[in-house]
Amino acid sequence: MVEHRRWNDILAYAILTFGVFIVVFPVYVALIASTHDAATVVNGNMPMLPGSHTLENYYRAIFVGGSRASREPVGHMLMNSFVMAMGIALGKIVISILSAYAVVYFRFPFRQTAFWIIFVTLMLPVEVRIYPTYKVIADLKMLDTYAGLILPLIASATGTLLFRQFFMTIPDELLEASRIDGAGPFRFFKDTLLPLSVTTMAALFVIQFIYGWNQYLWPLLITTQESMQTIVTGIKKMLTTTDELAEWQLAMATAILAMVPPVAVVVFMQRRFVRGLVETEK
Amino acid sequence: MEKSAVFKGKLLPYLLLVPQLVITLVFFYWPASQAVWQSFLREDAFGLNSEFIGLENYQALLAQPEYYKAMATTVVFSSLVAALSLSIALLFATQADKNLKAAPTFKVMMIWPYAVAPAVAGVLWLFIFHPSLGTMARPLRMMGFNWNPMLNGNHAMALVVMAAVWKQIAYNFLFFLAGLQAIPRSVLEAGAIDGAGPYRRFWTITFPLLSPTTFFLLVVNVVYVFFDTFGIIDAVTGGGPAGATTTMVYKVYADGRLGGDLGGSAAQSVILMVIVIVLTAIQFRYVERKVQY
């Protein structure tokens, strides 16, 4: 930096520590609430240190479910969320790498049209067309199925654009070289393009996994059976009883469980996450 | 940009495009055109009969005071969230941009809320500020402040804004930090040699050079507030009390589902689509060419 002043550094540390405090505080409170029994949480004066009901709460949340209304145990919802997030992330990677390959490496009639058909989808998030999409899914008999949860959300252009951009940076000499070696479109794709795309795929995977895991409105609409619920929609349903009856300690345990997988992805795959985030926004 | 070396195949490129095109057509164009078509129809409650009524749904919508209220709520909500999350994130990013030993640790600590689902973020903040059992509700009441987001519309708005800002800081922080790190040090040094202090350097050098990032983030944040905050609103307030936190997207959902007014809901969807298309067009037109350099 230009000049190095001691007070400047101290100020920076103070501001950043305050920032981290704001960021961590709500999660800390939820974590604490998930270790107390229902009475302690509800009386409005919960201690700020962990209690002794941790194992009991998490065990009940994951395997048993709440006691005051019939509820689905969270273990199953975690499974549904996982399938949905993986389906969206992998599905998007597969369909978009194929279409980007076609658009970049082939010349054919209607190539630009196909590209624009895909490109326009960038503009409309699923939230603006929820009921018509719901109706399509209902007509296709895909309510309460994984296909219904996954397919409408992989219809988007981000992946195709990302791979297209990446393919454009690959030197033409690579294609010419593998042509001279007698490679056709399949061999070139499998032996040259796929290995080169691994980092791009990883970046896209991280972003799409988080996106899929955190979906709320869509699963809320098209799952009617409790057995198909995802964890993010499940938390809300734990709280829809009257306030006195809601089991907040279980809801908070569920909230923590719902956060762990995507947050772990961000923390442990930080570089890929940052790359994916920056590149999918271009 | 075009490749000069390409394959010749006739059928293969179409086969490669089929999966994406089919999914896009079935789950995107079909429902989107249905939304447009439905906005011109009136359906009875059972969906058995429908008649073409032209623009009546739009007229009915624009005659509804609730719709203008939802528009106003959306404007208030988006400006609050965008202004707060951008300025707070910029403050943190400028601090993290200083040469601190712990900067990488701070960076991870700041960005992880991006991964928290909006609905989960909403539930966390609801718990802290819950009028009867929230950790923060008691101190507020002891200060003589009658905090109750379940009954008071402004309190409810404050609560959803807090949750939405909390979640969005991570994203803005990351992009601001990247923007700050791309500013050449030599420019700042030149400013320092000319006798500008850190405060002046920030406002006359850093901030103008950061304007492309800021503008990009502004558009992204508005889109975020429009759509991704649905989960927060549904989890925290359910649009209430008395519609105080019903944004335009939430109204599409509530009118279609709870009200059963599919035509009106579709008309709202169409209006929203137009707004998003305009926003995206602005983003592409101006962000691509960079605001100021």
Side-chain angles (χ1 to χ4, degrees):
Chain A
M1 201 49 201
V2 184
E3 69 256 86
H4 221 83
R5 290 184 193 158
R6 204 185 174 80
W7 64 264
N8 202 349
D9 277 10
I10 294 173
L11 182 71
Y13 272 108
I15 294 176
L16 286 173
T17 309
F18 176 68
V20 170
F21 173 77
I22 295 178
V23 165
V24 171
F25 182 66
V27 179
Y28 179 77
V29 173
L31 201 57
I32 294 299
S34 71
T35 66
H36 287 286
D37 61 2
T40 318
V41 173
V42 174
N43 78 7
N45 198 12
M46 188 182 78
M48 278 294 111
L49 290 171
S52 56
H53 295 261
T54 318
L55 288 179
E56 182 198 332
N57 287 342
Y58 281 89
Y59 178 81
R60 272 187 60 203
I62 296 176
F63 298 106
V64 187
S67 59
R68 286 167 184 153
S70 69
R71 287 183 199 114
E72 196 63 20
V74 173
H76 197 78
M77 296 184 205
L78 276 170
M79 182 64 202
N80 290 340
S81 288
F82 184 75
V83 173
M84 184 182 177
M86 289 299 275
I88 289 173
L90 296 178
K92 222 174 214 179
I93 289 173
V94 171
I95 66 167
S96 54
I97 200 169
L98 292 179
S99 59
Y101 184 49
V103 170
V104 174
Y105 281 100
F106 292 86
R107 291 287 167 278
F108 51 94
F110 304 112
R111 192 175 69 101
Q112 285 299 328
T113 322
F115 180 71
W116 278 100
I117 289 177
I118 297 168
F119 182 76
V120 169
T121 58
L122 263 192
M123 302 194 180
L124 294 178
V126 80
E127 280 81 359
V128 301
R129 51 189 162 95
I130 40 176
Y131 291 108
T133 315
Y134 173 85
K135 199 157 171 296
V136 169
I137 293 291
D139 291 344
L140 293 172
K141 305 257 179 299
M142 284 206 254
L143 295 177
D144 286 316
T145 63
Y146 287 126
L149 279 172
I150 292 167
L151 290 179
L153 297 176
I154 61 178
S156 112
T158 37
T160 311
L161 285 176
L162 185 62
F163 283 119
R164 178 178 169 272
Q165 223 160 31
F166 173 68
F167 290 166
M168 291 313 235
T169 67
I170 295 177
D172 287 349
E173 286 76 13
L174 273 180
L175 173 60
E176 277 151 16
S178 51
R179 268 233 202 94
I180 292 168
D181 290 345
F186 283 106
R187 277 258 312 274
F188 176 69
F189 184 72
K190 188 168 78 66
D191 293 344
T192 311
L193 222 47
L194 269 188
L196 286 173
S197 312
V198 169
T199 45
T200 308
M201 284 196 270
L204 187 62
F205 177 85
V206 170
I207 296 300
Q208 295 303 328
F209 181 85
I210 296 171
Y211 166 82
W213 184 277
N214 289 345
Q215 283 303 312
Y216 180 75
L217 176 57
W218 186 240
L220 190 69
L221 273 182
I222 76 146
T223 58
T224 51
Q225 292 167 17
E226 296 214 325
S227 64
M228 283 304 291
Q229 242 170 51
T230 63
I231 185 162
V232 175
T233 53
I235 298 171
K236 168 76 196 301
K237 298 212 169 130
M238 292 185 155
L239 300 173
T240 39
T241 45
T242 52
D243 291 330
E244 293 71 35
L245 291 175
E247 292 182 281
W248 280 90
Q249 81 286 14
L250 294 191
M252 289 298 127
T254 311
I256 298 290
L257 290 170
M259 271 185 271
V260 169
V263 169
V265 165
V266 168
V267 173
F268 292 114
M269 301 173 82
Q270 202 197 138
R271 292 215 3 243
R272 278 166 196 165
F273 162 70
V274 172
R275 204 178 142 199
L277 201 60
V278 172
E279 297 201 343
T280 47
E281 284 297 352
K282 269 198 269 187
Chain B
M1 269 206 308
E2 296 281 323
K3 286 266 178 202
S4 55
V6 292
F7 287 110
K8 279 203 195 76
K10 284 225 163 65
L11 186 62
L12 186 61
Y14 295 104
L15 288 179
L16 291 170
L17 278 167
V18 161
Q20 173 132 34
L21 285 182
V22 168
I23 289 178
T24 308
L25 291 175
V26 173
F27 297 108
F28 183 88
Y29 284 96
W30 177 240
S33 54
Q34 284 285 303
V36 176
W37 175 233
Q38 215 166 41
S39 71
F40 298 115
L41 298 180
R42 180 189 294 132
E43 268 183 67
D44 64 20
F46 308 103
L48 298 175
N49 290 307
S50 53
E51 72 178 301
F52 186 84
I53 52 168
L55 291 173
E56 267 181 50
N57 281 324
Y58 292 92
Q59 283 163 354
L61 192 64
L62 295 177
Q64 250 184 50
E66 292 87 28
Y67 193 61
Y68 293 100
K69 195 181 165 198
M71 273 184 180
T73 307
T74 310
V75 172
V76 171
F77 184 46
S78 351
S79 359
L80 281 174
V81 173
L84 285 172
S85 66
L86 283 172
S87 43
I88 295 173
L90 182 58
L91 173 67
F92 294 154
T94 48
Q95 305 310 311
D97 187 41
K98 293 175 182 167
N99 261 334
L100 304 179
K101 271 210 191 80
T105 318
F106 278 121
K107 192 176 156 194
V108 192
M109 296 295 278
M110 297 298 269
I111 62 175
W112 62 265
Y114 175 84
V116 177
V120 174
V123 170
L124 296 182
W125 284 87
L126 175 64
F127 180 67
I128 296 177
F129 282 97
H130 193 284
S132 65
L133 51 86
T135 308
M136 296 302 287
R138 181 178 286 241
L140 281 173
R141 261 201 311 276
M142 286 201 311
M143 288 189 295
F145 190 71
N146 188 16
W147 170 257
N148 197 340
M150 309 287 172
L151 298 175
N152 183 315
N154 292 333
H155 296 177
M157 177 59 92
L159 188 52
V160 285
V161 167
M162 279 192 276
V165 169
W166 179 78
K167 211 192 113 48
Q168 191 61 7
I169 288 176
Y171 186 92
N172 296 344
F173 173 83
L174 201 65
F175 277 85
F176 270 137
L177 190 57
L180 286 168
Q181 284 168 349
I183 292 176
R185 299 286 139 172
S186 53
V187 187
L188 293 169
E189 275 160 26
I193 291 168
D194 287 348
Y199 183 78
R200 179 126 180 256
R201 280 204 306 275
F202 177 78
W203 287 112
T204 56
I205 302 172
T206 312
F207 192 70
L209 283 176
L210 213 52
S211 60
T213 312
T214 312
F215 186 76
F216 159 79
L217 284 176
L218 190 64
V219 178
V220 172
N221 275 270
V222 171
V223 175
Y224 158 79
V225 181
F226 262 67
F227 302 105
D228 292 351
T229 53
F230 176 89
I232 297 178
I233 293 175
D234 194 48
V236 176
T237 64
T245 52
T246 299
T247 57
M248 290 165 79
V249 169
Y250 199 81
K251 198 164 153 56
V252 173
Y253 166 77
D255 285 2
R257 183 172 179 105
L258 311 171
D261 175 15
L262 283 178
S265 173
Q268 294 179 43
S269 294
V270 173
I271 294 177
L272 269 176
M273 282 188 214
V274 174
I275 294 177
V276 185
I277 289 171
V278 170
L279 279 174
T280 317
I282 293 176
Q283 182 178 345
F284 273 92
R285 192 166 156 74
Y286 293 100
V287 173
E288 287 286 291
R289 80 163 71 131
K290 305 291 173 197
V291 180
Q292 197 179 73
Y293 266 126

